[in-house]
Amino acid sequence: MSGGWNTIESDAGVFTYLLDNLGVKDVQFEELLSLDASSLAELYPVYGVIFLFKYPTDTPYRATDKPLDGTFDHEASENLFFAAQTIQNACGTQALLSVLLNKTDPSAGEAGFVDVGAMLGEFREFTMALPPEFRGEALSNSEQIRDVHNSFARSSPFVDETQRQADEGEDAFHFIAYTPVNGVLYELDGLQPAPISHGACGQGEFPEKVMEVLQRRVARYDAAEIRFNLLAMVRDLRARARELGDMDLLAREERKRNDWRFENALRRHNFVGFAGEVLKGAVGMKLGEGEGAYDKWVVQAKDKLKKRIEERKKGGGGGGDDVEMQG
């Protein structure tokens, strides 16, 4: 790897297996297709949500005195994990960690505790003694977390994502996290100067209160803007199926996991080499027909194209510049 962080997709399968590879136990992501509190509540226990939205480029995004919604809680960083975002392309993993690393207290109950594993547990223990900006630097310098993150980036033989800059006019998107911590609903956005409090919130109140916040946020966009994505971090649904003895649900979840594994493998695979080998094989077959076969193949293709042009002219289809290339 070049040392940078590559972009990853906002996809439940990507984020679930990213969790698995980081060593997190019995947690998965589910995509929510609406801002309906009941659809989120059905997934209980819910640890938090990750929201993807279009990053505004026409107005300053980072607030200084007061956010557009809620209030800054500058003292909260002493008791919860909040890291300033110091690196590009890592906001998805940073939002994921903003939920996870605030769910490490075993006394917090079923909806408040996650086994984050040894690697992330050690990372949290080390960084909690640091201010938010240094926590962000610690994340940017974590080779283990970066390597797991980059393993879910799309393979591209043409573009180095670590060097790519957004083209002028190209839309940019950003991930942030919402999660209840110590009885308060927090918005954790590494581009803001502090955690944003949205008021008191118990674990059972989280679905309704976070949806109210998200509805207000979405309402600030033009009605034509629909490019949002919402992922819920929940307990592994297979565990629930086993506890309930629901074999149909378990089978569906296992199929979903298999689909996610296949899709993630496709994301990481570079198909350009495969396509090149297919073309080489096709040419080799023609060359194998004997001396001059390749030239004959080219002549035949030109003749077919010429014939199509003549047929279009006879049929009144216009000039030869309007040619529909068909295989």
Side-chain angles (χ1 to χ4, degrees):
M1 302 302 299
S2 62
W5 293 66
N6 299 340
T7 55
I8 61 173
E9 293 181 67
S10 180
D11 178 86
V14 168
F15 276 60
T16 296
Y17 278 99
L18 196 156
L19 283 176
D20 284 357
N21 289 1
L22 287 171
V24 181
K25 308 296 184 184
D26 299 325
V27 180
Q28 72 174 74
F29 278 90
E30 281 289 297
E31 183 175 2
L32 297 173
L33 302 181
S34 72
L35 296 180
D36 177 39
S38 62
S39 62
L40 180 60
E42 289 174 358
L43 298 171
Y44 182 91
V46 181
Y47 306 115
V49 298
I50 294 177
F51 184 57
L52 175 72
F53 58 94
K54 181 182 174 183
Y55 184 87
T57 56
D58 54 343
T59 58
Y61 179 73
R62 179 183 170 91
T64 53
D65 299 327
K66 186 180 185 304
L68 292 176
D69 193 12
T71 57
F72 286 127
D73 187 345
H74 291 277
E75 306 300 323
S77 296
E78 296 181 5
N79 300 312
L80 61 77
F81 180 86
F82 172 76
Q85 185 174 325
T86 62
I87 43 180
Q88 290 184 342
N89 299 333
C91 58
T93 293
Q94 183 153 340
L96 179 153
L97 294 178
S98 293
V99 177
L100 270 182
L101 299 187
N102 286 303
K103 304 297 172 185
T104 58
D105 181 4
S107 66
E110 182 183 30
F113 173 70
V114 173
D115 182 355
V116 301
M119 179 178 69
L120 291 182
E122 292 172 2
F123 177 80
R124 185 186 191 280
E125 183 178 3
F126 169 73
T127 57
M128 282 302 291
L130 305 174
E133 57 271 25
F134 290 161
R135 293 176 191 169
E137 289 294 337
L139 175 59
S140 69
N141 291 322
S142 172
E143 293 185 7
Q144 290 177 303
I145 298 176
R146 185 188 67 222
D147 288 348
V148 172
H149 169 101
N150 283 347
S151 71
F152 289 91
R154 280 189 177 275
S155 174
S156 173
F158 305 118
V159 179
D160 180 357
E161 291 287 349
T162 65
Q163 300 299 324
R164 181 176 68 85
Q165 299 295 324
D167 295 332
E168 186 176 353
E170 181 182 348
D171 291 332
F173 294 85
H174 183 51
F175 291 93
I176 59 175
Y178 292 88
T179 187
V181 184
N182 299 325
V184 176
L185 172 57
Y186 282 107
E187 176 183 331
L188 301 174
D189 180 352
L191 294 181
Q192 298 295 351
I196 298 173
S197 168
H198 290 283
C201 179
Q203 294 289 352
E205 300 173 294
F206 175 67
E208 181 176 352
K209 293 202 170 184
V210 74
M211 288 305 185
E212 291 174 355
V213 174
L214 289 171
Q215 288 167 4
R216 292 195 296 269
R217 187 177 196 119
V218 170
R220 293 199 292 267
Y221 283 81
D222 186 275
E225 179 58 63
I226 59 173
R227 290 171 296 177
F228 303 101
N229 185 257
L230 184 62
L231 297 176
M233 184 188 294
V234 302
R235 186 186 178 206
D236 189 335
L237 295 178
R238 297 174 300 177
R240 175 196 291 184
R242 294 187 184 99
E243 291 173 358
L244 297 175
D246 189 337
M247 295 300 102
D248 289 337
L249 174 59
L250 180 59
R252 288 198 301 272
E253 290 301 316
E254 291 291 0
R255 285 196 299 270
K256 184 166 64 179
R257 290 286 182 131
N258 289 334
D259 290 342
W260 284 347
R261 278 192 289 268
F262 179 69
E263 291 165 2
N264 287 337
L266 291 181
R267 287 184 176 93
R268 291 191 290 266
H269 192 74
N270 175 5
F271 287 98
V272 172
F274 172 75
E277 291 301 317
V278 171
L279 290 174
K280 288 180 184 178
V283 173
M285 289 175 62
K286 286 295 180 182
L287 293 177
E289 294 177 4
E291 186 176 353
Y294 181 79
D295 292 335
K296 181 180 178 182
W297 183 28
V298 173
V299 170
Q300 289 173 344
K302 290 181 177 179
D303 288 343
K304 287 182 180 179
L305 179 58
K306 184 177 179 181
K307 183 178 180 181
R308 286 178 185 163
I309 294 174
E310 292 174 350
E311 289 175 349
R312 287 176 66 87
K313 288 181 177 179
K314 290 178 181 178
D321 291 336
D322 183 19
V323 180
E324 183 179 3
M325 300 299 291
Q326 299 177 350

